[in-house]
Each structure stands twice: as C-alpha cells, then as structure tokens.
Amino acid sequence: MAEVIQERVEDRLPELQQLERTGLFSHAEIKAIIRKALELEYRIQRRSLLKDDFIRYVQYEIHLLDLIEKRRARVGYTFKKDEIEDPIIHRIQSVFRRASIKWKDDVRLWLSFIAFCRKWASNVHLSKIFSSLLAFHSNKPGLWILAAKWELEDRFSSESARQLFLRALRFHPRCPKLYEEYFRMELMHAEKLRKEKQEFEKANMDVGNLEHAEEILTGELARIIYKNSTSVIKSAKFHVSLLSIARLFDFAKDLQREIYNDLKALHADDPVTWDYVARQELVIESQPVEELPATKQAKAKEVGRREERCCAVYEEAVKTVPTEAMWKCYMNFCMERFTKKTSSRLLRKKSKLLLHRQLLKESLEVADAGVKLFKKSVEMWQVKLEALITSESHEMSKGFEQAFEYLKPQICLPLWLTWAQWSEDAGKQEETEAIYKRAIFGLPGADSVPVKEMYLNWAYRSGGYKKARDVFKSLQENRPFSVDFFRKMIQFEKEQVSVLSVHFSLGKWISTYSSMAAFCCLRSSHHNTVSFLVLFFQPLFHRCDFRNGSQAKKKRNLS
C-alpha cells in the first residue's frame, strides 16, 4: 500500500512544480500540500473504507482548485491550465467514481459528482455519469427529469431529452411530474424552433432541409402528450398544472383554451377547478389594454374590481361545492390578498369565513388588523364587533366606544343597532335603555328614526304597555318621527282595554301628520266610520275652542 501511495503522490509533482514556478504558491505551501495529500491518500487506500474519507479528499481538492483560480485572478496569470488544473480534475473524478460505485445507493454523492462535472469537466463525462446513475436509480423520476433537462439546456439536444422522457415513462407510467416536464420540454422545443424560423426569415436565409412542419411549430406534440397524460391521470390538480405550463407560452393559445374547457367540463365539482377559475379573474383585465389605469389610485381601483370578481366566483363555488376543501381555498385566497393589503372587503370576507369555521381567535386577529388599516370603514368595525360578540369577549363596550371615536355620527347607525341588540340579548335592561337614549341623541336627524322604533319595541317587550307609553311620551317632542312609530304605538294601545288611549295616540299622530296621507292611514286602521270621524276632527275642534277662548280673553283685556 505504501508503494501505491508514494506513486500517487509523486504523480502530483509536475503540477506542484508548475504552481511554484509560476508563483501561484510558495515552497512552504507546496510542502503543506504534499503532507496533506499523503494523509488523504492513506485514508482512501486502507482496507476498511469510510465514505467520509472520500468526501474529505474531494473537498480538499476542490478547495485547492478554487484557491488556484483566485490566485490566478489576483496575479493575472491564465496559462498552463492543462498542466495544473486538468490533473487535479481527473484525480477528483477518479475518487468520485470509486466512491459512487462503492456507495451507489447514495444519491447525494451522485449529485455532488454531477455538480462538480458540470462546473469543471466536459459533457462527455456527464453523459456517462447520468447513464450509470439511471442504471442504479431508475426508480426515481426526479433523476430522469434532471438528465433530460441537462440534455435539453446544456447539450441543446431535444431528441436526447425526448428519448429520456420516453424511457422514464416506461418505468413510471403514472407519474404526473414526468408528464408535466415532458409537456414543458415539447413547448420549449416548439418555441425555440419558432424563434429560429423568425431569425432565418429576418436574414432572408434559405433554410432548406431545416424547415419544420407547421404542427410541430404550433405545439402539436405537446397536445398529444396532454391527451395521453389526462387519459392516464384523471386529476383536476394535474389538469391545472398542465394549463399553468401552457400559459407560459404565447403561441399556444388554442391549446390553453382546449385545456381550460376540458378542465371545467371534466372537473366541475372539484375545489381545485373553482380555485383556479376564481384566481384567473386577477389576471383578466376589465379594461382594454390602451385604457389601462396609469395612476396609483386608478390601479388600486382596478385591483379592487378584480378582487370583487374573484370573490363572486368563490361565493358561487362555496354554494355549488360546499365542502371543507372549497372553504379552505376561499380562506387561503383571502389571506393571500390580506397580506397585500389591497381592500377592506377581503379582510371582512376573511374574518367572516373564520367565524363560519368557528375559528374565533383567528377571526378576531384578522378583524383587528382590518380596523388598524381601515379605521374609517364602518363595515370593518362591524365585522370586528361581530367577532367580539361571537367570541363572548368582555371588551364589547370598549370596542363600540373605539368605533365611535373614529367614525362619523351619520354612518354609525348599524353599530348602534348592533350594540343595542347585543345588550338586549344579554339581558342587560338598564344598559340597553342607556344605549338607545345615547343613540337617539347621538345620531343626527332622520338617522335616529329607526332607533326610536326599536326603542319603542324594546320598551313594550321588556316592560309592557306602561313602559312603552312612558317611552312614547318621552319622545313626543324629539322629532323627527316615522309613520311606523305611531302605528306601533297604536297597535300596542289597541291591545289594551281602554279606547281613550287609542284616541290619545291617534290625536297625536294627526297633529304631527295633518295631511291626506295620514287621514287615509287612519281610515284604514279604524273600522267604525262614525268613531273615526269623531276622532279625526276632535283635534280640530279642540284647536278652534282654544282659538275662540284666546280671542275672548284678548277682548276682555282690551276693555
């Protein structure tokens, strides 16, 4: 063994002498290299071989190559590469070859060998390495794809890549990844031929026998692969992957349309199909190309319109395919758009979806993030408050108060109604009445009318007729009112025995709505014509008596 090691070290002397002669390494460095080489050679020549020893040997030699390259760049010396680098490269290849045969099941070792050869060696060595690798590991589709990709991109041999894919499909006839890459390779090949043809036409060159059939240039081979693969692999996800690959090539519009129509026809009930169709709305432009928005605000509106179309498709999808997978696709889409911070509508959608899935904590987190981004959006605040109500949080009142700080009073009606309804459902009568009173005085003008109606209804439900009458009297001078407000009170009093109470409400209504519309409404609510007329004209007689009395009083004062 010592003689073999000594011989291998002596084989290094010519390159080491060149390194010292050219000034790339000093004499001391050369002696250090020889000592390290002796140590490494002893390790890989002993009987009990270890894989780590071979890896250390290769790593040391590769580091030496990198150091030589850096020294050359620093000194500016580019000669004698065949006498310095080539022997080192051949030695590394020999060690790699021994290790890969000894431990042929180690794929990482083979891939390291391939990576080294792609950087330092020739294509001839790589071709042999791939052949040996595929002979040992024919059961791994990724290695077949790696070999075919190298043939196509490094050696520019589409025929060799095609043969590798066909061989791989014999071993793996139902592997989706192999079909996808084979499909991509044929489209890339067709695109390459089309570009070559365009360059030849620009140069007015006679291509002669280099002319290719029109079917190949339009991607007919890729269409054949698509048909064969979808007959074997009947999956919406696989269909979508082929369509995504086809969309990368502009010349394959007909193929894209065919795959898209087949996807909707064959997998109409699959969530993957709906998810893909919805997401396509993001890339479909709602305006012609020449009318596309230029300003940031216009672009944001355009993105908002696209997101609205996506949500519309998802809404239809969850109704057509109401499965957990479909809801998950919808939620993932909302979360992706949320990270882009495009619109409050998607945040509201995301929070509601999480509530629907009983994910209360996550829904509240999304709602909190939404109100921080869109503090002036009453819809966003309402979603947050709904999340607080559903989660039975103790910070409900604090949440409503925060909302009223940021929002204008004229848009706060939905929040007041939500707060009052929550307080009533919680059985807090005093707090509910306080909320109604605050809402009536806090909302401007006609916005308070719905609150008054709800206040009157609540009073009747919680305290009966007496409570409702007290509320009615307290609100008499707090205009405006609605016809329904008085109609409700009339209905409450009708349920009582006393007819005078009904007359009181009707009289107040007539004094407020002294018009023909009120007259007709009163007529429809009273079945007895005589009593109705007496009731209708009673306030008028009262006014006349009041006026006559006041005039007589004035005359007495004058006299």
Side-chain angles (χ1 to χ4, degrees):
M1 184 178 69
E3 292 82 2
V4 175
I5 295 173
Q6 189 65 31
E7 183 181 357
R8 290 178 62 87
V9 172
E10 289 177 357
D11 291 339
R12 294 172 175 262
L13 292 179
E15 67 212 48
L16 295 176
Q17 290 173 355
Q18 291 294 344
L19 286 173
E20 186 177 1
R21 188 178 298 116
T22 54
L24 296 176
F25 285 80
S26 64
H27 182 70
E29 289 173 331
I30 296 298
K31 291 177 67 175
I33 291 174
I34 294 174
R35 285 196 300 270
K36 188 65 176 178
L38 278 170
E39 178 188 349
L40 295 173
E41 289 290 347
Y42 270 107
R43 287 181 176 276
I44 66 170
Q45 296 297 335
R46 59 188 178 182
R47 287 188 177 182
S48 58
L49 299 177
L50 298 176
K51 183 167 57 176
D52 291 341
D53 294 334
F54 282 83
I55 293 174
R56 291 193 190 95
Y57 189 107
V58 169
Q59 286 177 344
Y60 178 78
E61 295 289 352
I62 291 175
H63 291 161
L64 181 60
L65 276 177
D66 292 336
L67 183 58
I68 293 173
E69 189 175 16
K70 290 178 181 178
R71 295 277 178 94
R72 282 183 177 277
R74 187 180 65 185
V75 177
Y77 186 80
T78 58
F79 304 103
K80 296 185 180 295
K81 288 189 176 183
D82 56 339
E83 298 180 16
I84 298 175
E85 280 91 346
D86 287 355
I88 301 175
I89 292 172
H90 293 155
R91 189 162 52 249
I92 295 174
Q93 287 179 337
S94 175
V95 175
F96 258 129
R97 197 173 295 110
R98 282 184 61 193
S100 57
I101 294 174
K102 176 69 175 176
W103 295 281
K104 54 181 176 292
D105 293 333
D106 191 343
V107 178
R108 293 181 61 185
L109 187 61
W110 283 99
L111 295 179
S112 299
F113 192 8
I114 291 171
F116 171 77
C117 290
R118 292 186 72 168
K119 182 177 180 180
W120 296 99
S122 63
N123 291 334
V124 178
H125 294 89
L126 262 179
S127 182
K128 293 179 180 179
I129 295 168
F130 273 118
S131 298
S132 302
L133 173 61
L134 295 175
F136 290 122
H137 297 281
S138 58
N139 61 334
K140 294 180 173 58
L143 299 180
W144 288 98
I145 295 172
L146 181 64
K149 185 178 179 181
W150 173 75
E151 290 284 353
L152 180 67
E153 297 179 358
D154 290 11
R155 296 191 65 188
F156 307 105
S157 176
S158 57
E159 185 61 33
S160 298
R162 188 178 296 115
Q163 292 300 323
L164 280 171
F165 275 120
L166 292 174
R167 285 177 57 196
L169 289 172
R170 294 194 193 106
F171 289 97
H172 309 278
R174 302 184 63 85
C175 179
K177 192 63 177 177
L178 273 176
Y179 279 111
E180 291 170 11
E181 295 302 323
Y182 189 15
F183 181 73
R184 189 197 306 272
M185 187 274 293
E186 290 296 352
L187 287 174
M188 290 175 63
H189 178 57
E191 185 179 44
K192 176 186 172 184
L193 295 179
R194 292 172 67 90
K195 289 182 178 179
E196 288 179 355
K197 182 180 179 181
Q198 291 175 1
E199 294 298 327
F200 287 143
E201 289 176 353
K202 287 181 181 179
N204 295 323
M205 294 177 61
D206 184 14
V207 294
N209 296 330
L210 296 177
E211 187 70 27
H212 298 281
E214 187 65 25
E215 291 81 4
I216 297 177
L217 296 177
T218 56
E220 184 64 22
L221 291 177
R223 196 183 75 83
I224 294 173
I225 296 170
Y226 158 69
K227 288 294 184 182
N228 292 337
S229 61
T230 51
S231 63
V232 176
I233 305 173
K234 299 179 181 180
S235 166
K237 185 177 180 181
F238 176 68
H239 227 111
V240 168
S241 64
L242 293 181
L243 181 56
S244 301
I245 294 171
R247 287 188 180 277
L248 300 175
F249 301 90
D250 295 333
F251 69 89
K253 295 294 184 183
D254 295 337
L255 180 59
Q256 296 171 17
R257 196 176 302 110
E258 180 181 356
I259 299 175
Y260 186 71
N261 293 334
D262 290 346
L263 174 65
K264 294 197 292 185
L266 299 175
H267 307 283
D269 296 332
D270 198 301
V272 176
T273 302
W274 284 99
D275 186 48
Y276 182 82
V277 172
R279 289 175 181 273
Q280 286 305 299
E281 297 295 333
L282 284 176
V283 298
I284 297 175
E285 297 169 353
S286 58
Q287 300 177 4
V289 178
E290 60 272 9
E291 299 178 6
L292 286 178
T295 63
K296 289 185 178 181
Q297 187 176 5
K299 289 180 180 179
K301 290 182 179 179
E302 175 65 19
V303 172
R305 284 192 290 267
R306 295 182 185 183
E307 290 176 346
E308 292 285 341
R309 296 199 303 265
C310 289
C311 291
V313 176
Y314 275 116
E315 292 290 346
E316 182 183 357
V318 295
K319 294 177 182 177
T320 308
V321 190
T323 61
E324 182 178 355
M326 189 69 255
W327 280 103
K328 188 175 181 180
C329 292
Y330 193 5
M331 292 166 63
N332 289 338
F333 169 78
C334 291
M335 181 56 75
E336 290 173 11
R337 303 309 298 177
F338 161 63
T339 56
K340 297 181 182 296
K341 302 177 181 179
T342 51
S343 70
S344 63
R345 186 177 187 273
L346 287 173
L347 293 175
R348 300 197 301 270
K349 286 283 184 184
K350 176 66 177 176
S351 182
K352 290 180 179 179
L353 287 173
L354 291 170
L355 280 178
H356 180 79
R357 305 302 297 174
Q358 297 297 318
L359 300 174
L360 304 180
K361 183 179 178 181
E362 292 80 357
S363 174
L364 194 56
E365 290 176 357
V366 174
D368 285 334
V371 296
K372 287 180 182 178
L373 291 172
F374 305 96
K375 295 180 180 179
K376 303 296 183 181
S377 172
V378 64
E379 294 86 358
M380 196 68 248
W381 278 104
Q382 195 164 6
V383 169
K384 178 182 177 179
L385 296 172
E386 289 175 2
L388 287 171
I389 292 172
T390 308
S391 60
E392 300 180 356
S393 174
H394 299 291
E395 299 182 355
M396 278 298 305
S397 300
K398 183 179 178 181
F400 281 104
E401 297 293 348
Q402 287 178 347
F404 296 141
E405 289 178 7
Y406 291 106
L407 299 175
K408 296 180 180 179
Q410 55 266 29
I411 64 174
C412 290
L413 175 61
L415 300 187
W416 284 113
L417 299 180
T418 303
W419 194 5
Q421 187 63 45
W422 166 78
S423 180
E424 182 181 352
D425 294 340
K428 304 176 180 179
Q429 290 196 7
E430 295 182 0
E431 184 177 345
T432 304
E433 187 168 8
I435 292 171
Y436 277 122
K437 290 180 179 179
R438 283 188 60 190
I440 290 170
F441 290 102
L443 290 169
D447 292 333
S448 64
V449 171
V451 181
K452 295 172 184 175
E453 296 176 10
M454 286 188 64
Y455 187 17
L456 188 63
N457 277 332
W458 170 82
Y460 186 72
R461 288 195 306 270
S462 62
Y465 166 73
K466 185 178 180 181
K467 179 74 173 177
R469 192 176 182 87
D470 292 340
V471 170
F472 181 79
K473 288 181 178 180
S474 66
L475 295 177
Q476 283 181 3
E477 304 302 327
N478 192 352
R479 299 189 180 188
F481 300 108
S482 66
V483 175
D484 289 336
F485 178 76
F486 290 97
R487 188 174 287 144
K488 287 179 186 297
M489 191 61 204
I490 292 171
Q491 185 64 33
F492 297 155
E493 293 186 343
K494 273 186 176 182
E495 297 174 2
Q496 307 302 314
V497 179
S498 175
V499 180
L500 295 176
S501 300
V502 180
H503 288 184
F504 169 79
S505 297
L506 289 171
K508 183 63 181 176
W509 190 11
I510 292 169
S511 65
T512 306
Y513 295 95
S514 55
S515 63
M516 187 56 66
F519 181 87
C520 295
C521 293
L522 282 172
R523 177 68 186 87
S524 64
S525 63
H526 243 274
H527 301 288
N528 192 316
T529 306
V530 176
S531 62
F532 166 73
L533 290 173
V534 171
L535 176 64
F536 182 77
F537 289 107
Q538 181 181 0
L540 301 180
F541 296 150
H542 176 73
R543 291 177 185 176
C544 291
D545 292 342
F546 176 78
R547 289 173 182 173
N548 292 334
S550 61
Q551 289 177 0
K553 187 175 182 180
K554 286 181 180 180
K555 289 179 179 180
R556 286 195 300 269
N557 293 333
L558 290 173
S559 63

